[in-house]
Amino acid sequence: MTIIDNSGALLAECVNVLKRKTGHGLATVGDEIVIVVQKARPLSAVASQSATALKVRRGDVRRAVVVRTKKEVIRPDGRKIRFDDNAAVLINNKKELLATRINGVVSADLRMKGWGKIASVAPKVI
């Protein structure tokens, strides 16, 4: 799963889906998940001392919200929406965005699931 924010993480592996009664561990758009960072941007000596330092490292266990899925989602009007990849953005324990920017398209279903802040920061919502 790709991470599409500027927190420093690039690739992550989902290890748990939080608060889903059914679905047997499957996450859809808007679900909160626990991830392990598999690949992150390298830290430089100058960047680590600045205020805008990268916030995650490889091997960190973090929370994230799924913003795109390969599995199609059927909207109430009958349209099916599907993306090319699975993507997420990192959040902290207070359910606030960890990053300041989102790079890429997110699903409009985020607003219905209570993640309006993510939809407003994203450059394009489909």
Side-chain angles (χ1 to χ4, degrees):
M1 168 176 291
T2 58
I3 305 297
I4 59 166
D5 59 17
N6 65 344
S7 62
L10 297 174
L11 282 176
E13 177 184 355
C14 175
V15 293
N16 192 11
V17 180
L18 299 175
K19 296 183 181 175
R20 281 289 291 223
K21 303 280 190 245
T22 60
H24 306 289
L26 301 177
T28 60
V29 172
D31 286 347
E32 194 175 336
I33 60 174
V34 176
I35 57 111
V36 176
V37 177
Q38 298 292 326
K39 187 176 181 184
R41 290 188 188 95
L43 296 172
S44 64
V46 177
S48 63
Q49 295 173 352
S50 71
T52 59
L54 299 176
K55 298 175 177 71
V56 296
R57 295 172 182 248
R58 183 177 179 275
D60 282 357
V61 178
R62 296 289 176 132
R63 290 184 178 210
V65 175
V66 178
V67 295
R68 293 195 303 240
T69 57
K70 280 180 116 172
K71 177 69 177 168
E72 65 271 356
V73 177
I74 300 172
R75 297 258 172 95
D77 61 356
R79 289 181 294 167
K80 293 181 182 178
I81 305 298
R82 161 175 81 201
F83 295 96
D84 290 338
D85 65 343
N86 297 318
V89 294
L90 298 183
I91 58 172
N92 61 13
N93 290 336
K94 297 178 189 174
K95 300 192 181 198
E96 301 166 342
L97 278 173
L98 198 64
T100 56
R101 255 187 280 161
I102 294 177
N103 309 317
V105 178
V106 300
S107 176
D109 297 336
L110 288 169
R111 276 193 220 282
M112 293 184 278
K113 302 250 180 125
W115 298 104
K117 173 71 172 171
I118 296 173
S120 65
V121 172
K124 186 156 180 125
V125 178
I126 293 181

